[in-house]
Amino acid sequence: MCGIFAYIGGREATPILLQALRRLEYRGYDSAGISVKNYELKVVKTEGKIRTLEELVAKETVSGKIGIAHTRWATHGEPTTVNAHPHMSCDGKLALVHNGVIENYLELKFLLEKKGHNFVSNTDTEVLVHLIEEFENQDLTTAVELALSRVEGAYGLVIMSKNEDKIIGAKKGSSLVLGVGKDEYFLASDTSPIIEHTRDIIHLEDEDIVIITKNSYKIKNFGKEKIRPIEKVDWDIETLEKKGYDYFMLKEIYEQPESLKSCLRGRIEKNKTDIHLRRLELSEKYIKNISRIILLACGTSWHAGLVGKYILEEHLRIPVEVDYASEFRYRNPIIKPTDLVIAISQSGETADTLAALKEAKNRGAETLGIVNVVGSAIAREAGKGIYLHAGPEIGVASTKAFTSQIIALHLLNLYFGRTRNTISDEKAYELIKAIEVIPEKVKTTLELDEKIKEVAEEYYQVKNFLYLGRGINFPVALEGALKLKEISYIHAEGYPAAEMKHGPIALIDKNMPVVFIANKSNGTYEKVLSNMEEVKARKGRIIAIATEEDNIINKLSNHTIYVPNTIEFCTSIINTIPLQLLAYHIAVLNGRDVDKPRNLAKSVTVE
Ligand code: G6P
């Protein structure tokens, strides 16, 4: 969601703040602002993207060595300049930026207005700064502590005062990390804007309040001082740059051979039949007793969970449920101690997934996380699991995280299957041999880019798309449709191919492109061919994702995209690549801002 950042040190704050906002822009991009402390608190903010803010800042003198910044994804109040952060106290002595939702803001606003506070925006955030102002006769730290004890909801916030050379950060529910530099400190919603300054990061805990000055930091939790571990972040700074690609999304699509390799690195034993997962920390006895697996996630990660269901049920013979995290948490779910609940999340921050994981834990489930961002809230809450090691994903539409999530689920499947003796030596060897060459096959698949662009050129003006797949490729159809919707704003639906005749077939005419996923190694290949016949009979236009050297399919399809052959359980990764590229090219041809699609945000930290 929103991105927040703060700097205190010996350097000019403004360029550091603006650069940080560029790094954080993927978290929200409808308005942005900065405040820098000198003799006064200078504020510059605007609706629109960071580049609009930069133009404004260039026209002003914004100088000082202490500053805070924000890039917004609107929840309460339209994306306007007045609703943009920072928000100020009535006397102009406090400036605050916030990520999260203050649930009791209307009640607080009512009380504060009665006390004479003048509200200028429609945001929930503004109550925070006025509430802190109420305690201004105290020092800033005490004022923040007192104010936050009256607040319900989620926040990651930073605040500074005209009167004190310090910045205070606080978090509950939303993430906040502290960067520890040499005579300078940074606070941010995630590590991406910090790592070019320091690799030493502290992940703050809920209810932490951190006080940073030019040369010190102190963390308090309910009034008690806390020591939190400093962790080294090893992300390569280059992964935060576009490196010649037009968009992060394209770069991340192309990074997949590497991100997949990185997820596999060090995890396959030499015998090629066993898997090593260092952070899994589940006893053999527990694994043997698992009676059900529940996968919780949102968006693209939920699609990865669906692929996981096919893999895990087939090889482990354990029932697997895949739940939208937002539904699970409010459904009064039935949980037994032998249920294993796995949260899947790229960012590790998604509010619904985090809350669902906590709910499962409270009800006694054992939990794991399959997460990309190291040290993120979901990773920490789960306590154990599998990191994807895909590197930072900046494009709002998830690409490389999805394929890595599937690989991670394969690894988990092998690990459990070997422990439970449901995967034999021979089967494990066969699966591992197939998985190991997936990065190379993805690389080959990426060579189809030009061909896919040609297909995109033919279809980019259509209004609707249908994606059909069966079995393990049904979730791929969902993911293909989601990618197209997210970045091109073309309506698209994913369906199990056999379900087409129960509804979507009514939509098919000569204007309807239908993407079929039809690998030969899939058990239902022939059935999918029949579904293609049904579309062809109704003059639908068929784009088929097919296995190389399939000479039948092109008799039915208008376009055939031949992908490398692999075993059925690995097809979902290979098939995803052309669908990502198709969505990308269609969006570019429509002139969309691929990395910053309207209304979306990378990490959804509100419910
Ligand atoms: C947002 C993003 C999606 C992502 C989903 C879940 O909606 O726009 O790309 O799939 O959140 O995010 P997570 O970080 O939990 O995987």
Side-chain angles (χ1 to χ4, degrees):
M1 293 277 84
C2 306
I4 63 179
F5 183 80
Y7 171 77
I8 188 162
R11 295 187 276 162
E12 264 307 313
T14 307
I16 299 173
L17 299 180
L18 290 174
Q19 169 69 355
L21 287 183
R22 283 191 288 271
R23 296 270 190 240
L24 286 170
E25 197 171 16
Y26 71 101
R27 298 181 68 96
Y29 33 82
D30 58 39
S31 51
I34 60 169
S35 177
V36 175
K37 174 178 168 347
N38 213 322
Y39 301 106
E40 299 292 327
L41 299 183
K42 173 99 179 171
V43 176
V44 187
K45 60 184 188 175
T46 177
E47 67 180 86
K49 301 207 166 113
I50 309 297
R51 84 177 91 87
T52 317
L53 177 70
E54 285 169 334
E55 284 160 19
L56 269 183
V57 171
K59 289 185 202 142
E60 311 219 14
T61 317
V62 191
S63 166
K65 293 174 181 169
I66 305 176
I68 63 178
H70 189 267
T71 180
R72 181 167 187 247
W73 184 89
T75 56
H76 295 58
E78 285 175 31
T80 57
T81 300
V82 80
N83 286 336
H85 302 211
H87 290 284
M88 305 294 288
S89 55
C90 298
D91 61 10
K93 290 184 184 164
L94 298 174
L96 173 143
V97 297
H98 161 236
N99 173 27
V101 171
I102 304 305
E103 285 162 7
N104 59 340
Y105 88 101
L106 284 173
E107 175 195 328
L108 292 169
K109 189 172 177 179
F110 179 72
L111 292 173
L112 289 161
E113 275 177 336
K114 274 209 340 203
K115 289 188 171 209
H117 288 266
N118 180 29
F119 281 78
V120 292
S121 78
N122 310 111
T123 64
D124 54 334
T125 299
E126 199 185 350
V127 296
L128 290 171
V129 72
H130 291 288
L131 191 58
I132 295 168
E133 186 179 24
E134 265 301 289
F135 303 103
E136 231 179 359
N137 53 347
Q138 317 268 349
D139 69 281
L140 185 60
T141 316
T142 314
V144 170
E145 282 170 335
L146 287 169
L148 291 182
S149 67
R150 285 154 176 80
V151 161
E152 285 163 25
Y155 51 80
L157 64 87
V158 294
I159 181 164
M160 63 179 178
S161 162
K162 171 180 173 292
N163 298 334
E164 298 184 40
D165 282 347
K166 64 169 68 143
I167 293 176
I168 297 193
K171 87 151 228 128
K172 186 179 170 193
S174 304
S175 62
L176 191 64
V177 295
L178 168 67
V180 180
K182 197 172 169 324
D183 292 331
E184 55 181 8
Y185 293 91
F186 310 83
L187 285 166
S189 332
D190 63 51
T191 52
S192 60
I194 298 182
I195 59 171
E196 58 207 87
H197 305 292
T198 174
R199 300 291 172 142
D200 292 338
I201 300 289
I202 295 177
H203 292 271
L204 296 165
E205 303 274 342
D206 271 355
E207 318 269 8
D208 275 356
I209 291 185
V210 57
I211 304 110
I212 53 175
T213 67
K214 186 175 170 242
N215 38 33
S216 72
Y217 73 90
K218 190 197 284 181
I219 300 168
K220 292 172 81 183
N221 193 296
F222 288 109
K224 287 208 180 106
E225 205 168 321
K226 293 279 170 188
I227 308 288
R228 304 265 180 240
I230 297 182
E231 291 164 38
K232 283 257 178 245
V233 176
D234 58 4
W235 275 359
D236 180 357
I237 194 90
E238 293 228 311
T239 56
L240 299 172
E241 308 286 347
K242 281 195 227 148
K243 289 212 279 191
Y245 287 92
D246 289 343
Y247 290 97
F248 277 110
M249 181 183 176
L250 188 62
K251 172 176 164 256
E252 287 156 8
I253 291 172
Y254 270 87
E255 275 172 357
Q256 287 175 106
E258 270 318 304
S259 54
L260 291 168
K261 260 189 222 160
S262 158
C263 190
L264 290 171
R265 194 163 296 131
R267 287 169 164 171
I268 296 174
E269 301 284 5
K270 281 210 176 72
N271 60 11
K272 305 250 185 218
T273 55
D274 288 300
I275 296 297
H276 176 70
L277 291 171
R278 196 163 60 86
R279 289 174 186 265
L280 212 57
E281 296 165 24
L282 293 176
S283 70
E284 188 179 331
K285 186 166 169 234
Y286 177 81
I287 294 171
K288 286 190 163 154
N289 279 327
I290 298 170
S291 60
R292 184 172 61 146
I293 295 175
I294 301 172
L295 302 171
L296 300 177
C298 302
T300 289
S301 299
W302 185 77
H303 294 157
L306 285 181
V307 175
K309 177 181 167 76
Y310 286 89
I311 299 170
L312 297 168
E313 283 194 341
E314 168 69 19
H315 298 99
L316 306 181
R317 310 308 300 154
I318 303 176
V320 177
E321 288 174 23
V322 189
D323 240 324
Y324 282 117
S326 54
E327 290 298 314
F328 176 89
R329 60 182 290 203
Y330 290 115
R331 208 190 49 228
N332 195 8
I334 302 161
I335 296 289
K336 296 188 278 50
T338 50
D339 286 336
L340 174 65
V341 171
I342 307 176
I344 308 175
S345 173
Q346 185 289 126
S347 63
E349 279 186 53
T350 305
D352 282 323
T353 311
L354 179 60
L357 181 66
K358 286 183 179 164
E359 185 64 37
K361 238 175 146 179
N362 288 341
R363 287 174 186 250
E366 182 58 88
T367 57
L368 290 181
I370 294 182
V371 178
N372 192 30
V373 178
V374 176
S376 56
I378 292 172
R380 290 140 70 80
E381 184 65 37
K384 43 193 170 314
I386 306 175
Y387 277 126
L388 303 180
H389 300 306
E393 192 181 67
I394 311 289
V396 166
S398 184
T399 52
K400 62 176 179 174
F402 177 69
T403 47
S404 290
Q405 286 163 342
I406 298 175
I407 283 283
L409 285 158
H410 267 297
L411 294 174
L412 186 75
N413 174 54
L414 279 155
Y415 189 87
F416 281 180
R418 299 298 284 154
T419 312
R420 292 170 65 96
N421 297 321
T422 55
I423 299 182
S424 65
D425 285 359
E426 295 71 34
K427 187 73 195 169
Y429 188 75
E430 182 202 329
L431 284 170
I432 288 175
K433 284 297 253 185
I435 291 164
E436 266 190 328
V437 293
I438 287 297
E440 273 313 304
K441 295 199 173 190
V442 166
K443 202 169 170 189
T444 312
T445 312
L446 286 165
E447 289 166 15
L448 295 166
D449 198 359
E450 267 311 305
K451 157 104 188 156
I452 293 163
K453 194 171 168 204
E454 283 166 23
V455 176
E457 276 158 3
E458 197 166 327
Y459 293 95
Y460 76 98
Q461 286 168 319
V462 302
K463 298 275 178 281
N464 297 290
F465 251 93
L466 197 55
Y467 287 72
L468 300 175
R470 287 182 85 143
I472 198 161
N473 283 304
F474 156 53
V476 176
L478 293 178
E479 176 60 10
L482 178 65
K483 284 291 89 81
L484 189 71
K485 273 184 277 206
E486 282 179 312
I487 58 170
S488 71
Y489 321 145
I490 292 173
H491 170 244
E493 284 192 53
Y495 250 87
E499 273 292 304
M500 176 186 65
K501 54 188 171 294
H502 299 293
I505 200 162
L507 300 169
I508 291 168
D509 61 16
K510 63 180 179 9
N511 299 316
M512 178 65 118
V514 185
V515 177
F516 270 98
I517 304 159
N519 309 79
K520 259 188 150 169
S521 60
N522 281 29
T524 49
Y525 169 72
E526 269 87 17
K527 307 269 176 220
V528 177
L529 290 188
S530 308
N531 300 139
M532 286 172 73
E533 293 278 10
E534 288 154 14
V535 169
K536 197 174 156 73
R538 286 157 185 84
K539 299 198 167 45
R541 291 189 281 169
I542 296 175
I543 301 162
I545 311 292
T547 311
E548 56 196 357
E549 289 169 23
D550 179 337
N551 301 320
I552 300 172
I553 216 152
N554 55 349
K555 310 222 165 28
L556 293 171
S557 59
N558 301 66
H559 309 269
T560 313
I561 294 164
Y562 289 108
V563 295
N565 193 15
T566 178
I567 60 165
E568 176 166 17
F569 287 95
C570 288
T571 50
S572 47
I573 299 177
I574 303 289
N575 293 333
T576 298
I577 311 300
L579 302 190
Q580 292 170 341
L581 287 167
L582 184 65
Y584 171 81
H585 287 301
I586 290 179
V588 171
L589 289 162
N590 277 296
R592 308 297 185 213
D593 187 345
V594 170
D595 285 337
K596 301 184 196 77
R598 71 180 179 205
N599 305 338
L600 294 178
K602 184 75 185 153
S603 308
V604 180
T605 56
V606 295
E607 289 182 28

